């Protein structure tokens, strides 16, 4: 027996009852039609901006599909001008990026845009903008709030089966893949400079900043080669440290399948008119999970130790039990916003996350 038909049909029913957004965001717009109104308004603002700045439009087109990576697209100043045009169109009340009291930037995203879009469209996920501004709960002390985006689950570890939390001491070591890597110090420093983690010279200093005992997880380093370029990926093992056993998983992410992409391609090809050009392309999120700040209350559970230094995570952790669903919520909302800018004869989006 390859599958349980009753379980399969239950999942299909659950999927149909929620809003979604990563899989077929065009369908999610049927459930929140206000997105089409906001998308039209924002699209007109962006069209006006691009018409007035043809050099920006050319920079975008040169960057699409550029395998040499020499064309980087619009510069930061042009992106800021485009964002201000959108903010004016939506009457965004609070602009800029949020910061902690101690000066740490919380995210590279702009919560005001998400707040305004949710308000004007009637999107029920008012929580993603709140997470961007105030920190994301990961199910340890506070559960992520439900907005009927993904099916609800209640998956926790029974008390008797929970691993004990690991409170790392001076003898704590990471996995060999990280400890023995020459790139380890450089990779950690990059995360510090990006504001994704915060460095402390001692356990006592880190505990004061976290407001509690430090639950320390081992780091693993995964290195891959793509197009002749080494790519390093750090994974925090929140399972062995006990962190994940003490959290409750609250949502099941709905992801697109390969057939969704094939179906979209066939539908668009079927509607193609003479002179139309049909293309498939992929856009990657850079440092995806790190776009969501961690809730301060839960930073004590996401701690790194390397050498004689301690590091607190500032952003959502790759390896946390609710990390994929929390980032999925941000992805789904971004997809609903993005799809609303286009008619489905022009563009069909799918968003996939493999973590």
């Amino acid at each position: 027996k390859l599958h349980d038909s009753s379980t399969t049909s239950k999942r299909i029913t659950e999927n149909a009852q929620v809003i979604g957004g990563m899989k077929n965001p065009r369908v999610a717009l049927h459930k929140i039609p206000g997105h089409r109104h906001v998308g039209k308004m924002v699209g007109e603002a962006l069209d006006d901006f691009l018409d007035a700045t043809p050099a920006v439009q050319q920079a975008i087109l040169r960057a699409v599909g550029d395998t040499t990576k020499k064309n980087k697209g619009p510069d930061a100043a042009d992106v800021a001008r485009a964002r201000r045009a959108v903010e004016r169109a939506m009457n965004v009340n609070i602009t800029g990026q949020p910061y902690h009291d101690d000066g740490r930037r919380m995210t590279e995203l702009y919560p005001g845009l998400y707040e305004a879009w949710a308000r004007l469209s009637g999107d029920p996920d008012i929580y993603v903008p709140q997470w961007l501004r105030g920190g994301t709960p990961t199910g340890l002390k506070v559960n992520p709030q439900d907005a009927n985006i993904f099916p609800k689950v209640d998956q926790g570890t029974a008390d008797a089966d929970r691993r004990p939390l690991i409170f790392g001491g001076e003898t704590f070591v990471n996995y060999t893949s990280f400890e023995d890597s020459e790139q380890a110090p450089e990779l950690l420093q990059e995360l510090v400079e990006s504001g994704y983690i915060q460095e402390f010279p001692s356990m006592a200093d880190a505990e004061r900043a976290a407001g509690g005992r430090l639950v320390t997880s081992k780091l693993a380093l995964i290195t891959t080669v793509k197009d002749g370029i080494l790519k390093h990926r750090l994974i925090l093992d929140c399972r062995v440290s006990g962190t994940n056993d003490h959290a409750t998983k609250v949502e099941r992410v709905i992801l697109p399948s390969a057939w969704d992409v094939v179906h979209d391609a066939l539908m668009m090809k079927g509607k193609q008119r003479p002179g139309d050009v049909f293309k498939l392309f992929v856009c990657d999120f850079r440092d995806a999970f790190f776009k969501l700040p961690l809730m301060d209350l839960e930073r004590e559970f996401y701690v790194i130790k390397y050498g004689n230094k301690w590091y607190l995570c500032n952003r959502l952790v790759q390896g946390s039990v609710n990390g994929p669903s929390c980032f999925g919520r941000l992805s789904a909302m971004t997809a609903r916003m993005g799809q609303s800018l286009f008619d489905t004869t022009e563009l069909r989006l799918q968003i996939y996350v493999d973590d």
Side-chain angles (χ1 to χ4, degrees):
K1 190 174 181 180
L2 296 179
H3 61 80
D4 186 332
S5 59
S6 62
T7 300
T8 301
S9 61
K10 181 173 182 276
R11 288 172 70 93
I12 293 172
T13 300
E14 290 175 346
N15 291 356
Q17 290 173 341
V18 296
I19 292 166
M22 298 180 73
K23 174 188 174 79
N24 299 325
R26 59 186 171 77
V27 176
L29 299 191
H30 298 322
K31 302 174 182 179
I32 315 175
H35 269 291
R36 286 295 183 192
H37 167 71
V38 181
K40 183 175 185 295
M41 177 174 58
V42 172
E44 289 173 352
L46 289 172
D47 282 342
D48 290 344
F49 171 76
L50 292 172
D51 287 344
T53 55
V56 175
Q57 193 165 179
Q58 288 302 312
I60 294 171
L61 294 174
R62 284 195 298 269
V64 174
D66 176 24
T67 57
T68 68
K69 308 296 184 184
K70 292 180 180 178
N71 293 293
K72 304 296 184 182
D75 60 26
D78 287 328
V79 172
R81 290 166 61 200
R83 184 178 61 253
R84 286 194 291 271
V86 173
E87 289 171 343
R88 286 192 297 271
M90 292 198 296
N91 293 315
V92 174
N93 297 320
I94 303 175
T95 60
Q97 297 166 328
Y99 285 79
H100 289 279
D101 292 340
D102 60 8
R104 287 177 292 124
R105 183 168 61 177
M106 298 185 70
T107 178
E108 291 69 37
L109 302 181
Y110 290 78
L113 286 174
Y114 284 87
E115 288 167 347
W117 205 305
R119 183 182 69 252
L120 294 171
S121 67
D123 195 300
D125 204 348
I126 59 174
Y127 304 109
V128 165
Q130 292 176 12
W131 297 348
L132 290 171
R133 198 177 294 284
T136 308
T138 63
L140 289 155
K141 291 187 175 181
V142 181
N143 281 339
Q145 304 95 321
D146 176 52
N148 198 39
I149 305 302
F150 298 128
K152 292 187 287 292
V153 298
D154 184 11
Q155 296 177 2
T157 304
D159 291 348
D161 298 327
R162 285 181 178 174
R163 296 175 178 84
L165 293 171
I166 294 178
F167 301 101
E170 297 304 321
T171 59
F172 180 90
V173 292
N174 297 287
Y175 289 112
T176 303
S177 62
F178 184 78
E179 291 285 349
D180 292 351
S181 172
E182 295 179 358
Q183 286 79 32
E186 180 183 346
L187 293 172
L188 278 181
Q189 187 57 34
E190 287 178 2
L191 294 177
V192 171
E193 292 174 358
S194 298
Y196 298 158
I197 62 176
Q198 189 175 7
E199 180 183 288
F200 296 89
S202 70
M203 178 189 289
D205 290 328
E207 285 181 335
R208 278 192 293 272
R213 293 186 67 190
L214 306 179
V215 180
T216 314
S217 298
K218 290 187 175 186
L219 265 180
L221 175 64
I222 299 174
T223 301
T224 57
V225 180
K226 185 176 181 180
D227 297 328
I229 300 174
L230 285 176
K231 291 194 173 183
H232 303 291
R233 187 178 181 191
L234 294 175
I235 303 294
L236 198 63
D237 190 345
C238 300
R239 182 180 61 88
V240 171
S241 69
T243 295
N244 281 353
D245 282 359
H246 286 73
T248 301
K249 184 177 180 180
V250 297
E251 291 179 302
R252 172 174 60 80
V253 177
I254 303 174
L255 296 172
S257 66
W259 169 247
D260 290 311
V261 178
V262 173
H263 177 266
D264 280 352
L266 291 173
M267 291 298 292
M268 293 191 74
K269 286 291 286 183
K271 296 179 180 180
Q272 191 172 359
R273 296 169 298 185
D276 286 348
V277 177
F278 175 74
K279 289 187 178 182
L280 293 166
F281 65 96
V282 176
C283 295
D284 284 340
F285 289 109
R286 182 177 179 182
D287 297 337
F289 281 39
F290 290 154
K291 300 304 110 176
L292 277 170
L294 265 179
M295 177 177 279
D296 278 347
L297 275 175
E298 297 186 341
R299 289 179 78 206
E300 66 190 84
F301 295 96
Y302 301 105
V303 181
I304 299 165
K305 181 181 182 293
Y306 179 65
N308 59 359
K309 294 182 179 178
W310 297 78
Y311 303 84
L312 297 183
C313 294
N314 292 328
R315 307 292 181 90
L316 189 65
V317 172
Q318 208 168 21
S320 57
V321 70
N322 283 308
S325 59
C326 287
F327 177 69
R329 291 273 292 275
L330 173 62
S331 297
M333 188 169 190
T334 303
R336 294 192 295 274
M337 293 160 63
Q339 182 64 72
S340 72
L341 295 168
F342 300 91
D343 187 272
T344 53
T345 60
E346 298 176 301
L347 176 73
R348 290 188 176 209
L349 285 173
Q350 303 286 349
I351 295 189
Y352 186 83
V353 179
D354 60 357
D355 298 303

